[in-house]
Amino acid sequence: MNKILRLIAAVIGFLLLNVQAEEPKEYAFAINSAVTPLLHAAFVNQTIKTVERAVEPAKLKVMYVELPELERLIEDHQADFFISTAATIRRYQDLGARDVLTASSPFSKNPNRSEGSLFIVKADRSDINSVSDLKDKRAAAGRPTAFGMYLAAMGEIAADGYDPKTFFRSTQFYGLNRDQIIKDVLNGKAVGILRACYLEDAVNRKVVTTDQLKFINLKSDPDHICLHSTRLYPNWSFGSNPSVPPAVLSAVAAGLIAQKPVGIGLYWSVASDYTAVDNLLKSLRLGSYQRFSKEWFWQRIVEYRFWILSALAAFVLLLIHSLIVSRTVDIRTRELKESLKRENKSFNEAQKAHRRLMKMQRAAVVGQISSLIAHELNQPLAGIKLYARTLQRAKDSGTLTEDKLGTALTEIRTDADLAAAIVERVRSYAKGTRSERVSSEVSELVNKAVREFKRQSGERVEVWVPQEQPVYIIVNPLEFELVIINLLRNAAQALQELGVLNPKVALTIKREDNKALIAIEDNGHIEKEKIEKLSEPTNSTKADGLGLGLQIVRSIIENHGGKIFFSQAASGGLRVEIRLPAEETTEQ
């Protein structure tokens, strides 16, 4: 009874898990709360609708948040999509945030140069005519993290060789109340920092006239119609975190790019150059540059001072204990040094002799016929077993047809012939008989071996064999195919263990003088130390291997008067090069 109840509970749990797995995922879309005053509300609303359509059937949770909260959501990967300034997104690119698209408007023809800052002072301020004249003045700006209303201006100050932290005597931040910034300037209280195009908007709203103000460090740009005092940067951007699948992000980006201009002609486009933003963050030590600055390290030290002091105390105690023990051991062993040296020398010599003996024993194991049979017969026997099981299932299910039976029997016969041929070769080895060798075209043998490798192993490895000029060698075809199959199998297993996403193996065939050169390269990674060990008789790159497959390959090649070499490919993977005597005439 208990077993039945447990079974019912397991089935219900499984069904619930499936139901939960089928529920659409919810994506979080965080939007800087300052975006609506700065970008047209219709543009933002249309963007939300476009993203909702792109992520269907998943749900979209839209959040309007202040900049500090948005930065926390981006840093903690709690926001899948977000709209903020390009600088905000680039500050977290080392944590996975990515700028996908940037907002473009009729005011700028180039998405890479859309946003900047404008320095304004009262028109009668004859004492201020350049950036250097702004030093030690009181400033009025948006927010310490606002891009156009503060950061871009600070970047210009840093570019002129000044320290942005100490440049102004003080700074009053008014958030989004840009009109108050203008009022402070007109009252002679401060130097104003406005986002590019804010002035034109204020003039249109009759907050100020241009003759009431003086503009400092004006720059001209034929692609931008608004006044600006700094370099220009990409505009407000649409970003994403790594939590968004590539297919979903592609659908969202395609939808936003196809979105028609709304509001004042705003639309989404691609900014191709964020170098200016990155340089600005670097000069102001923000984002990843802040996380690895001296100030950042000191903040971390203060924050974790208790744990750091505890670790240092433990380290000091451990060091004192180690010194005491070391001194005690040194005193007690001083008289035994000479004796220990002699014993160590004898021990090292014994170890070297033992290693040589083990290598000889392992080399002898490789020579045993049983190892060769076990290693090479495994694949054809496995194929026979597979097709026999397939026939049995087809028979049991009543789906056995003449075509299926014929195909399976043909494959079984092919594998059986291969096994018989291997056994015959083994008998030849056992009797010391020279195997039959014929003139063969290398690329035909290689392609046959590649097909057999794919048929036997089912490895999902791309094998590339470029067409070369025909090269002929005197070889036993079966033995040569076994060599290629062994090397392909080793390469495929190595790529699988390394977790290579797109495993590839390239085979090249060419003639050099009187030698046929066959090279096999994979796109994995292997250390040079391992390559040196591969030249030893029974070494293997596998932790539990005896190198039997490699020893078989080496034996066959050497029996044909050839040599095998190992090196590191240009891609970092393993390159195996086989050199065999070529026939005098390569054309037949």
Side-chain angles (χ1 to χ4, degrees), residues 287-509:
S288 59
Y289 306 102
Q290 179 188 34
R291 283 189 279 277
F292 299 103
S293 63
K294 291 182 179 178
E295 293 83 356
W296 181 85
F297 279 111
W298 279 115
Q299 290 174 1
R300 300 289 82 74
I301 290 174
V302 172
E303 182 178 356
Y304 299 105
R305 59 186 180 278
F306 174 77
W307 297 105
I308 294 174
L309 291 174
S310 300
L312 287 175
F315 175 76
V316 170
L317 292 175
L318 183 61
L319 181 61
I320 294 173
H321 174 73
S322 177
L323 290 174
I324 294 173
V325 172
S326 176
R327 179 62 178 170
T328 304
V329 171
D330 182 64
I331 293 173
R332 294 181 179 179
T333 59
R334 188 172 300 162
E335 297 177 355
L336 300 174
K337 279 186 178 180
E338 292 300 323
S339 176
L340 288 175
K341 286 181 181 179
R342 290 191 297 268
E343 290 182 7
N344 286 335
K345 183 178 180 180
S346 300
F347 177 78
N348 290 335
E349 291 177 352
Q351 286 288 92
K352 290 180 181 179
H354 177 70
R355 285 195 293 268
R356 287 196 298 270
L357 179 61
M358 290 301 297
K359 287 185 178 182
M360 292 174 63
Q361 290 175 347
R362 292 172 71 188
V365 171
V366 173
Q368 294 179 6
I369 301 301
S370 59
S371 297
L372 181 60
I373 295 174
H375 191 271
E376 298 302 336
L377 285 183
N378 184 52
Q379 291 297 333
L381 291 179
I384 292 172
K385 185 177 180 181
L386 174 63
Y387 285 108
R389 188 183 298 115
T390 301
L391 287 176
Q392 184 64 48
R393 284 202 300 266
K395 176 180 176 296
D396 294 342
S397 62
T399 60
L400 182 61
T401 63
E402 291 293 331
D403 290 340
K404 287 184 178 180
L405 179 61
T407 301
L409 291 176
T410 299
E411 296 295 339
I412 290 174
R413 186 162 48 251
T414 299
D415 284 333
D417 291 341
L418 177 59
I422 293 173
V423 171
E424 187 59 32
R425 296 287 77 77
V426 173
R427 287 178 177 174
S428 298
Y429 292 142
K431 295 177 181 178
T433 306
R434 180 182 178 88
S435 56
E436 181 181 359
R437 301 174 184 178
V438 296
S439 175
S440 305
E441 206 280 304
V442 177
S443 64
E444 293 180 0
L445 297 178
V446 168
N447 285 318
K448 185 177 179 182
V450 170
R451 289 194 299 271
E452 186 62 20
F453 162 72
K454 291 182 177 179
R455 188 185 72 83
Q456 291 180 8
S457 63
E459 294 285 348
R460 295 184 178 180
V461 178
E462 181 182 346
V463 181
W464 181 52
V465 184
Q467 295 296 324
E468 298 284 349
Q469 183 180 0
V471 181
Y472 292 86
I473 55 177
I474 303 297
V475 70
N476 180 282
L478 177 60
E479 292 177 345
F480 185 82
E481 289 170 22
L482 291 178
V483 166
I484 301 301
I485 290 172
N486 266 290
L487 294 176
L488 288 175
R489 185 186 301 123
N490 288 344
Q493 291 175 353
L495 293 176
Q496 183 179 11
E497 292 172 359
L498 289 172
V500 177
L501 295 179
N502 297 304
K504 295 181 182 179
V505 178
L507 289 91
T508 55
I509 306 164

Side-chain angles (χ1 to χ4, degrees), residues 12-80:
I12 294 174
F14 176 75
L15 293 175
L16 288 175
L17 286 175
N18 280 345
V19 171
Q20 292 175 359
E22 292 174 359
E23 289 182 357
K25 179 181 178 180
E26 181 179 73
Y27 291 99
F29 188 5
I31 302 175
N32 189 331
S33 58
V35 72
T36 302
L38 306 179
L39 296 177
H40 201 280
F43 175 66
V44 178
N45 293 333
Q46 184 62 35
T47 297
I48 295 173
K49 293 179 181 179
T50 301
V51 177
E52 284 179 338
R53 288 194 297 268
V55 301
E56 288 179 348
K59 298 178 181 178
L60 187 68
K61 178 183 178 182
V62 180
M63 301 175 288
Y64 285 91
V65 295
E66 293 294 321
L67 184 58
E69 176 65 10
L70 176 63
E71 292 175 340
R72 186 192 67 78
L73 293 174
I74 296 175
E75 186 173 5
D76 296 342
H77 289 188
Q78 293 181 8
D80 301 294

Side-chain angles (χ1 to χ4, degrees), residues 240-262:
S240 68
N241 260 326
S243 54
V244 181
V248 175
L249 183 58
S250 298
V252 171
L256 291 177
I257 290 177
Q259 183 175 293
K260 295 181 179 180
V262 294

